[in-house]
Amino acid sequence: MFDIDSLTNQGINTAGDTQRTPVPEGDWPILCEELKLEERQHAKINEGRPFVEVRYKVLVDSQEVRDQLRRDKVTYSGNFILETITENGITRLDMSPGANATLNQWRAAVGMNKDGLDFKLPMLVGTMCMATFRHKMGEDGPNANIRKFFERK
């Protein structure tokens, strides 16, 4: 652990980058470091009703990417919305055809998308798989996005 007060009062005397270079496009190995759920609400999503968003952080485990970005550690943070069903006051994941495809793709990539397996979301933390990164232009230049998860061979 680190001393938060020491970090807060640390002096900096060099200029730093004002934009982050995105993870390069391609298929890269990843390790899930963090995963959390947040209840959100937005007028344009889910007809304005509350929804659950998965927020995650992965380590991009590639020397080629570290070299290209000139960083010792490369992480990527992303998110996706969980599709849920509420019946009799109980909310559960929607497992109907086509629902939660991103989650189920990730589960399949780490061998956890199987009938009979008692899967819980925290089980993804610490798992490794591959991810396809693509760029999308934003206001400040290209942003990396994970397009799909697949099995590491």
Side-chain angles (χ1 to χ4, degrees):
M1 210 54 197
F2 59 90
D3 180 358
I4 194 74
D5 292 326
S6 175
L7 182 63
T8 302
N9 294 308
Q10 179 183 64
I12 301 169
N13 60 10
T14 58
D17 287 340
T18 60
Q19 292 187 340
R20 188 177 191 113
T21 305
V23 173
E25 289 189 322
D27 295 336
W28 306 113
I30 61 168
L31 167 70
C32 181
E33 290 190 323
E34 294 177 18
L35 186 131
K36 66 180 179 176
L37 303 181
E38 290 186 6
E39 185 176 358
R40 309 267 320 268
Q41 192 165 1
H42 190 282
K44 295 182 180 180
I45 300 173
N46 198 31
E47 299 171 350
R49 296 187 314 265
F51 60 91
V52 179
E53 181 178 61
V54 175
R55 292 183 170 268
Y56 61 89
K57 183 172 93 171
V58 296
L59 173 72
V60 181
D61 188 24
S62 165
Q63 187 62 49
E64 181 180 346
V65 172
R66 288 190 294 274
D67 291 347
Q68 187 173 339
L69 298 180
R70 298 183 325 269
R71 296 204 309 253
D72 294 331
K73 181 178 180 181
V74 177
T75 59
Y76 169 83
S77 297
N79 63 311
F80 58 89
I81 295 172
L82 285 181
E83 296 170 88
T84 59
I85 297 173
T86 302
E87 296 175 330
N88 301 321
I90 298 173
T91 301
R92 60 182 176 79
L93 287 176
D94 183 353
M95 295 306 290
S96 63
N100 285 306
T102 300
L103 171 63
N104 294 329
Q105 189 181 76
W106 196 350
R107 290 175 59 204
V110 297
M112 294 183 186
N113 192 30
K114 299 176 181 176
D115 287 334
L117 176 68
D118 188 23
F119 174 79
K120 294 176 178 59
L121 285 160
M123 292 168 68
L124 289 172
V125 176
T127 62
M128 296 186 81
C129 67
M130 298 292 290
T132 298
F133 286 84
R134 293 290 180 252
H135 291 171
K136 182 177 180 182
M137 287 305 291
E139 290 179 14
D140 297 327
N143 295 309
N145 291 294
I146 291 180
R147 291 286 185 232
K148 71 176 181 177
F149 299 95
F150 60 100
E151 189 176 345
R152 190 174 184 166
K153 296 186 180 177

